[in-house]
Amino acid sequence: MAKIKGTIIVDKERCKGCAVCVASCPFQVLHLSSQVNGRGYPFAEMEHPDQCTGCASCAVICPDSCITVYRQKFE
Amino acid sequence: MAEFEVEIKPENLVYGTPKLITDRIMHYCPGCSHGTIHKLVAEVIEEMGLAEKTIGVSPVGCSVFAYNYIDIDWVQAAHGRAAAVATAVKRLYPEKMVFTYQGDGDLAAIGTGESIHACNRGENIVVIYINNAIYGMTGGQMAPTTLLGMKTATTPYGRDPKLHGYPYKIADMMAHLDGVCYITRQSVHTPVNVRKAKKALRKAFENAMAGKGLSLVEFVATCNSGWKQSPVASNRWMEENMLPFYPLGDIKDI
Ligand SMILES: Cc1ncc(C[n+]2csc(CCOP(=O)(O)OP(=O)(O)O)c2C)c(N)n1
Ligand code: SF4
Ligand code: SF4
Ligand code: SF4
Ligand SMILES: [Mg+2]
């Protein structure tokens, strides 16, 4: 059965930890890190990467252009 | 789950930073709507192939430095005067795509006169109007757009119409002017709204290039610092309090 999977890459140093992406992910994939980046912000990361579909909701809403989204179909 | 590891390669790319967004880290507060709206502007310009043809006019307000973030030509106007400057630029270079980017303090307070007359003259420009119901840059003072009861630095007990007058919908007022071809109110507080807003912005840019008159795209937006709420709570507050008074959708489309 075909399966569509997604993944994201977060530019950690650009991220300001606003959590708007976390709240916008329809599959609760994201959370904020317990560590902070060079500017003192916690950054977005995938807590449940298996659930990412690559829908890009997190990326389109991110005000700081931190998220790149990839998606692949597995036959 | 290693068998389902998504490969990071260009064929699998779904969404990346718009090419016209510069590497510079934006000075905006975390979660500020300005950043999301900047991306839409960059995407529309890029997708229409207008990067070399577009001149933006930035305001005074938090978005004064918009010219640092979108890699096109810009002019920075005095407070409220963006539509007057854009008029001059467009008349000198009629083949260019000219737009303004203005907050509610800039457009609907100090620049009311310039904005209304640019609309009335039907200048072939796009006006992007960011309504966060507050003067964000100067520390969160009341704007003409501040909701009744809303607390700001200058209305600590909430906006009282007896003392401060009523909030107003300048986009609805402008819809009565014959020079205006398209007025719409959008937001970027959910991914669905972001996608809708982009379509509206594109239509506005197409109108300007087709010489149809002035298009105004209002964004109901958040200022989480001024509102003294987290970015996520601000989006919720906006939906519950701003949208009933500033409803989303097209106001005029001819
Ligand atoms: C002539 C003049 N008057 C007043 C100011 C102070 N001032 C700077 S920004 C601003 C209002 C900004 O509010 P808005 O346009 O809503 O932008 P925001 O920061 O909320 O995005 C004011 C009153 C100024 N810079 N110049
Ligand atoms: S791409 Fe979609 S599913 Fe994946 S993290 Fe972003 S919002 Fe969630
Ligand atoms: S929306 Fe962007 S800036 Fe905000 S937490 Fe997510 S990745 Fe970071
Ligand atoms: S003060 Fe308000 S409008 Fe200005 S950057 Fe901060 S959140 Fe955005
Ligand atoms: Mg404002």
Side-chain angles (χ1 to χ4, degrees):
Chain A
M1 201 179 71
K3 188 176 167 68
I4 290 178
K5 279 269 301 149
T7 195
I8 65 164
I9 292 179
V10 179
D11 184 337
K12 288 182 199 169
E13 285 307 317
R14 221 176 145 94
C15 176
K16 294 176 186 163
C18 72
V20 167
C21 57
V22 178
S24 300
C25 172
F27 305 104
Q28 287 81 46
V29 172
L30 304 172
H31 73 170
L32 289 187
S33 64
S34 48
Q35 292 158 319
V36 294
N37 64 19
R39 293 183 306 137
Y41 292 119
F43 46 87
E45 61 183 16
M46 297 213 278
E47 187 186 14
H48 303 294
D50 294 346
Q51 286 163 32
C52 177
T53 63
C55 71
S57 294
C58 55
V60 301
I61 206 164
C62 172
D64 286 282
S65 303
C66 307
I67 304 180
T68 310
V69 185
Y70 296 87
R71 177 187 253 177
Q72 194 169 344
K73 195 172 170 184
F74 296 92
E75 302 293 344
Chain B
M1 298 293 282
E3 57 193 306
F4 293 135
E5 201 77 39
V6 177
E7 290 163 88
I8 306 299
K9 53 182 185 182
E11 305 92 277
N12 292 341
L13 180 70
V14 180
Y15 184 95
T17 303
K19 285 187 202 69
L20 291 177
I21 292 286
T22 62
D23 288 340
R24 221 181 261 238
I25 290 178
M26 295 184 182
H27 71 289
Y28 300 119
C29 306
C32 175
S33 307
H34 278 303
T36 311
I37 300 164
H38 282 17
K39 279 202 312 190
L40 294 187
V41 176
E43 284 173 6
V44 166
I45 294 171
E46 197 173 305
E47 286 166 23
M48 289 178 71
L50 294 173
E52 299 300 325
K53 252 192 144 168
T54 304
I55 302 172
V57 183
S58 76
V60 169
C62 279
S63 49
V64 61
F65 299 130
Y67 53 77
N68 282 331
Y69 307 133
I70 306 177
D71 190 13
I72 53 169
D73 287 336
W74 287 90
V75 182
Q76 201 283 308
H79 202 11
R81 286 22 171 183
V85 173
T87 297
V89 175
K90 181 70 182 181
R91 288 185 178 210
L92 285 167
Y93 299 105
E95 75 293 352
K96 297 279 187 189
M97 171 63 231
V98 181
F99 73 92
T100 73
Y101 186 105
Q102 303 173 258
D104 48 321
D106 194 82
L107 181 143
I110 193 168
T112 310
E114 285 78 359
S115 304
I116 285 181
H117 285 290
C119 286
N120 197 40
R121 291 191 305 269
E123 302 297 339
N124 289 305
I125 61 173
V126 173
V127 173
I128 301 172
Y129 166 43
I130 315 303
N131 177 9
N132 54 16
I134 208 159
Y135 293 173
M137 184 199 211
T138 42
Q141 294 83 2
M142 188 191 88
T145 44
T146 298
L147 299 177
L148 290 182
M150 191 171 161
K151 290 190 172 120
T152 67
T154 45
T155 57
Y157 303 107
R159 182 173 188 172
D160 172 2
K162 286 199 205 77
L163 208 55
H164 313 113
Y166 294 89
Y168 83 134
K169 299 169 195 168
I170 195 167
D172 294 59
M173 286 169 56
M174 285 166 168
H176 296 292
L177 303 173
D178 292 334
V180 173
C181 62
Y182 180 49
I183 299 206
T184 185
R185 192 179 287 120
Q186 303 288 331
S187 79
V188 293
H189 70 298
T190 70
V192 172
N193 288 101
V194 175
R195 292 186 161 111
K196 275 192 201 154
K198 183 173 164 185
K199 289 204 183 96
L201 199 56
R202 174 150 186 156
K203 183 171 180 167
F205 272 60
E206 285 168 357
N207 286 344
M209 289 312 282
K212 285 179 72 177
L214 190 143
S215 295
L216 181 137
V217 183
E218 173 174 349
F219 285 89
V220 185
T222 62
C223 169
N224 58 73
S225 287
W227 296 1
K228 310 217 180 302
Q229 299 181 40
S230 75
V232 172
S234 294
N235 278 336
R236 211 176 305 125
W237 192 89
M238 189 191 99
E239 181 156 5
E240 287 165 7
N241 297 278
M242 295 272 284
L243 297 190
F245 187 75
Y246 296 112
L248 302 182
D250 289 351
I251 297 166
K252 179 176 187 178
D253 185 9
I254 52 167

